Amino acid sequence: MSYDCAVSVRVPDSLEELVTGLAADPGCELLAGGTDLMVEINFGRRRPASIMSLSRVTELKGWSEDAATGELVLGGALTYTEMLQPDLAGRLPALAQAARTVGSPQIRNAGTLGGNLATASPAGDTLPVLVALDAVVVVESADGRREVPVGDFVTGAKRTALRPHDVVHSVRVPTRRTRQEFLKVGTRNAMVIAVCSAAVVVDLDSCSVRVALGSVGPVPLRAHEAEELAGEVLDWDAGGVLAGDAHRDGALERFAGLVSAASRPIDDHRSTAAYRRHAVGVCARRALERVAA
Amino acid sequence: MTTAGRADQPDQPDQPDQPDQPDQADQPDQCSYTLSVNGQEHELRGAWMGESLLYVLRNRLGLPGAKNACEQGECGSCSVLVDGELVCSCLVLAATAGGREIVTVEGLGAGERFTDVQVAFTETGAVQCGFCTPGLIVTVHDLLERNPRPSELEIREAISGNLCRCTGYGRILEAVETVRDARLAAASRAAPVAAGATRQEGAG
Ligand SMILES: Cc1cc2nc3c(=O)[nH]c(=O)nc-3n(C[C@H](O)[C@H](O)[C@H](O)COP(=O)(O)OP(=O)(O)OC[C@H]3O[C@@H](n4cnc5c(N)ncnc54)[C@H](O)[C@@H]3O)c2cc1C
Ligand code: FES
Ligand code: FES
C-alpha cells in the first residue's frame, strides 16, 4: 500500500519488508490492534514520528501447529477473538478464558497477543497464562530470530527484552497433556483491568503444577512453593486429581496461603495491596479446585 | 472543525480535538490516502498522520453517526465495522485503513430507511438521550449477523463494550430480543418445513 506520507505511515505487505523497514528506522512505532497505542496518540501522550502497521503482514497472523515439534505457534498478531475460536480455545482453554475477560468485543476484535506482550502491563491478561504454559516468545529482526522465555521477556512493569527494531513474531507453546484455568478479579465482568489474576496449569506429562499470578507485581510471578505443594498433594496415578480425603481442605488452604505469600502487590486506585494478596490466593485455589477436583 | 487542543476542551465529547493541520501535503507528518466508507471512496489530503478513523469520519467526511465520548475504547459509541469486524473507530489509525471496507451506522440498511434494529430501539424506548444509540445499533447488527439466536447472556456480553448512561440497559435488551424474535419468525415463515423439523411452530 502506498501513501503520500510513505515516510511516516507505512503498511508493509510482508515480514521481510517490516523488519528491513524497522532496521532502517528503529524509532518507528509498530501498530497492531491500536488498543494501547491509539489511546496514547489520542491523548497526546505519544506522538511517534513514524508508524508501521502490522495489518497486512500475513506471517504474523493466526496460529498453527509445528509439525516437527508439535508445539502451538501463536502469531504475534493473533487477536483475542481468534483465541476464543473453538479450535484454539479447545487447545489452550486458559488463554481463551483470559481472552474472554479482555475489554469488550470491539477490543477483542482488534487487540493482539504481540501488543499485550510488547505493552507488558502488570495487568496484561495473557502474560500469567503464557508464563504458566511455559511459553517462549519468538522475536524477529533484520539480524535474525531469537527465542526468549516469557518470564525473561517481561523484564519489568511495561519493560521488555525487545530492542527498538524487534518484532514479536510469534509465541511457541509446548504441547503437553494439561488441564488449565485462568481466573481474574475486577469490578465488572467486562471492560475491566485485572485487580489480580491467576493461571494454573496441571501438567500431566511432567507431573507438576505451574501457577502464575498477574497484577500482583511488576511482572507476572510464579508461585514456586505453592506449585511444589500442589505437586505433592495431587494424586498423579489417578490423573493429577486432588484426593478426596480429610487433608484436602487443609492442603487447599495452605496452597492459597503460599500463593498469597508469593505475591508482591501494591496499593493503587484499583485495589489495596492487602485485598490483592488475599484475592489472588482465592483465585489460584479455585482454579486448582476446578482443574484437579 | 475544531482546532482546540485537548487541554483547552476537556469536556466536549462531541468534538474530537486532535490537532487539525492545514491542508499542505508536504509536511512530513501529513498523509494523503483513500478511504472506502459505506461503499464510497473518499480522498483525504494532507491529514495529520495520527488522526483516528473516528476523527476523520466526523470532522473530515461529515459522517457524525459514530460518536466520540472517550477516545480510549471504553464507551463503544464510536463503533463501526472495518472489513466486517466490529471495532472502536477511535482506536483505528485512519491512515492505515486505506483499502479496507468501512461501514458506519449511516451505511446500515438501505438508504434513508431505518433498519429493523433502529425501529425496535425507538419503539421499545431503548433510546433516551441517544448518544450511545448509533454505536449500539452497529453492535447489535453485528451480533445478529454472527449469532441469529443469542441468549440474554450472549446479548449482554455482546453489548458489554457499549456504555449507556440513561436506559439501564433493560429496554436495550428488550429491543434486541424483539428483533431476534422477529427475524427468527420471518425465517421460519420463509422456510416452514426446515424450521418445523427442528422446533415448534411459532416458538422462535
Ligand atoms: C478499553 C480497553 C480495554 C482493555 N482491556 C484489557 C484487558 O482487560 N486486559 C488486558 O490485558 N489488556 C487490556 N487492554 C489493553 C490492550 O487491549 C492489550 O494490551 C492489547 O493486547 C494490545 O494489543 P494491540 O494489538 O492493540 O497493541 P497496539 O496498541 O497496536 O500496540 C501496543 C504496543 O505494542 C507494540 N507492538 C504491537 N504488536 C507488536 C509486535 N508484534 N511486536 C512488537 N511490538 C508490538 C506497539 O508498537 C505498541 O508499542 C484494554 C485496552 C482498552 C483500550
Ligand atoms: S469514543 Fe471510541 S470507545 Fe469511546
Ligand atoms: S440513551 Fe443516553 S447514553 Fe444511552
Side-chain angles (χ1 to χ4, degrees), chain B residues 158-171:
Chain B
I159 65 170
S160 62
N162 292 81
L163 298 187
C164 174
R165 296 194 298 183
C166 302
T167 64
Y169 301 98
R171 291 174 180 194

Side-chain angles (χ1 to χ4, degrees), chain A residues 109-126:
Chain A
N109 283 342
T112 65
L113 188 63
N116 209 222
L117 278 163
T119 296
S121 157
D125 283 318
T126 67

Side-chain angles (χ1 to χ4, degrees), chain A residues 219-233:
Chain A
V219 299
L221 299 173
R222 287 276 293 267
H224 291 289
E225 289 178 26
E227 292 177 355
E228 274 168 37
L229 174 74
E232 284 161 22
V233 299

